[in-house]
Amino acid sequence: MNHADEIPLSGPDIDESDIQAVTAVLRTPQLSLGPRVPEFEAAMAQYSGAQHAVAINSGTSGLHLVNHALGLGPGDEVVTTPFSFVASSNSVLFVGATPVFADINPVTWDLDPEAAAAVTSRTKALLPVHVFGRPCPMPRYLQIAQKIGAAVVEDSCEAIGTTIGGKHAGTFGTAGMYAFYPNKQMTTGEGGIVITNDGALADLLRSLRNQGRGADGSWLAHERLGFNFRLPDILCALGTSQLKRMETFIAHRQRVFELYNHHLAGLEEIICPAPANSGERISWFVYVIALREGTPRERRDAVLAELRQRGIGCRNYFSPIHLQPFYRDRLGLREGMFPITESVAARTIALPFFNQLGEGEVVRVANALRAALAATRQLV
């Protein structure tokens, strides 16, 4: 099949205003540590409703910096989900602490608050993840954390624009972060931002991202051990430009979500993602279906292969973190420990999903999925 006939899994939404914003910075002598950084931070704080925003070079770096700034280290435990991109738990290992996994809700696929309630005296933080942009039950996590004096580090990397009761994901906990990889709702190419209402924490994060330099900006004066996690002005300019269209992006993705749910209606072999609950708004990151419970992994994998053969970009989302070889070896984890996560992960299929996806393409994906399901029924 010709590459031009393929429908990719994701794609950024770049327009002329974005290009002009980037080239305007390229015409200046200051490509990093310039005025576009605080401009982007102010715009993001205003958009999210947080008091402070700190731009960094990835969502992963944001998680790492916050865990480091909170003083997490060896002997400390962080309760989190095994159904996420590996960066969420990696960020705990980066500071020498131990991720303690709890199983997920079988319907919403986020960290089950009842499982997360099994904390210990060593639990110093909860790290919930707004999976695929769907909001977590933040009030319940905050109750658990308050009882034991733990922090809540909110991985909202996939959920910029998601709200609960009008309050943005990422603003409930001690700190939250958004990520801007090209497959996200908006992009800076690579990059992320931490949001928080704690001014002292924000100041510390700004120092830590910039080699431990102090607020006076003296280039060779380092007040603490820091990192090079800066986001350059070029990318901040792109982020500021993209953010101006954020609500349009969310509306486009909601439309694609609704088109998929409409054109996949009646397919009894799959479970489509549910719409938002009352009082919530989902800023969709990806569109992930699941084959019905009890479907063997072999069939899911065969469906993925059939879709790719038909020119449809697709992927399993996610592979359980606790079954990654490194986590098995490092923490002694094994299959069967988190059965809901393992069951869901064995059945998921991410379909093409991005702002510009049209109804004709959605119909083509839906037809390809029907054909792939028909071609693999012998594996049930």
Side-chain angles (χ1 to χ4, degrees):
M1 177 172 292
N2 189 296
H3 180 73
D5 294 328
E6 296 179 358
I7 301 177
L9 182 61
S10 64
D13 189 344
I14 302 295
D15 72 2
E16 187 59 33
S17 66
D18 298 327
I19 295 168
Q20 290 178 6
V22 170
T23 55
V25 177
L26 291 173
R27 292 188 175 96
T28 74
Q30 197 153 17
L31 305 186
S32 190
L33 291 172
R36 300 306 179 194
V37 180
E39 179 184 77
F40 181 42
E41 291 174 338
M44 189 60 69
Q46 182 177 21
Y47 177 78
S48 66
Q51 293 181 29
H52 307 278
V54 181
I56 63 292
N57 62 4
S58 71
T60 305
S61 296
L63 288 163
H64 182 179
L65 278 191
V66 169
N67 290 339
H68 181 80
L70 292 177
L72 301 179
D76 296 335
E77 294 180 350
V78 178
V79 175
T80 190
T81 171
F83 189 71
S84 173
F85 185 60
V86 72
S88 55
S89 54
N90 279 358
S91 72
V92 178
L93 293 175
F94 291 160
V95 296
T98 302
V100 175
F101 295 115
D103 217 340
I104 61 174
N105 182 300
V107 177
T108 57
W109 301 349
D110 50 24
L111 181 66
D112 186 345
E114 299 312 312
V119 297
T120 73
S121 60
R122 294 184 297 277
T123 304
K124 295 297 185 287
L126 271 63
L127 201 165
V129 180
H130 298 283
V131 176
F132 307 149
R134 185 181 295 279
C136 293
M138 290 308 302
R140 183 70 182 99
Y141 300 143
L142 293 171
Q143 288 175 353
I144 296 169
Q146 187 174 19
K147 283 183 180 179
I148 61 172
V152 176
V153 179
E154 205 173 337
D155 184 342
S156 45
C157 288
E158 299 177 357
I160 182 171
T162 288
T163 61
I164 308 170
K167 184 177 173 66
H168 280 254
T171 63
F172 288 83
T174 309
M177 58 283 307
Y178 303 130
F180 308 123
Y181 189 71
N183 64 349
K184 296 296 195 296
Q185 295 91 329
M186 60 167 276
T187 186
T188 57
E190 290 278 4
I193 203 158
V194 176
I195 53 174
T196 182
N197 292 323
D198 185 330
L201 176 61
D203 289 342
L204 178 56
L205 293 173
R206 289 192 176 95
S207 173
L208 289 170
R209 74 174 174 190
N210 190 25
Q211 303 282 17
R213 294 182 175 96
D216 65 358
S218 179
W219 191 248
L220 296 179
H222 304 270
E223 296 181 356
R224 56 183 58 84
L225 179 66
F227 307 87
N228 184 359
F229 287 169
R230 298 185 299 265
L231 190 65
D233 279 51
I234 299 169
L235 302 189
C236 286
L238 176 57
T240 302
S241 179
Q242 286 260 299
L243 186 59
K244 293 173 183 176
R245 311 204 309 280
M246 191 66 234
E247 292 302 302
T248 301
F249 292 166
I250 293 172
H252 286 331
R253 295 169 93 88
Q254 178 64 27
R255 172 63 174 157
V256 176
F257 165 83
E258 291 169 357
L259 286 171
Y260 267 126
N261 276 15
H262 173 71
H263 288 289
L264 295 177
L267 264 180
E268 296 182 356
E269 293 168 285
I270 68 169
I271 302 168
C272 293
N277 295 322
S278 177
E280 296 178 347
R281 180 177 77 164
I282 300 175
S283 172
W284 292 103
F285 162 51
V286 286
Y287 186 90
V288 179
I289 63 169
L291 300 182
R292 289 289 176 182
E293 191 169 355
T295 303
R297 182 194 304 269
E298 292 74 17
R299 188 185 186 200
R300 190 279 309 278
D301 292 346
V303 170
L304 288 171
E306 290 282 343
L307 286 171
R308 289 173 184 139
Q309 191 173 15
R310 290 168 169 80
I312 305 300
C314 57
R315 185 175 296 159
N316 59 304
Y317 251 93
F318 291 104
S319 296
I321 297 174
H322 70 284
L323 299 183
Q324 302 290 339
F326 176 75
Y327 279 84
R328 286 177 182 256
D329 295 343
R330 178 83 171 258
L331 300 178
L333 301 169
R334 63 187 185 280
E335 196 166 348
M337 296 184 73
F338 306 104
I340 300 174
T341 293
E342 292 169 25
S343 172
V344 170
R347 297 180 284 115
T348 56
I349 298 173
L351 298 175
F353 191 75
F354 46 95
N355 298 354
Q356 311 97 319
L357 200 66
E359 185 167 11
E361 292 166 308
V362 170
V363 169
R364 182 179 154 195
V365 173
N367 289 339
L369 178 60
R370 288 187 177 87
L373 291 169
T376 60
R377 286 201 179 104
Q378 76 278 7
L379 297 176
V380 176

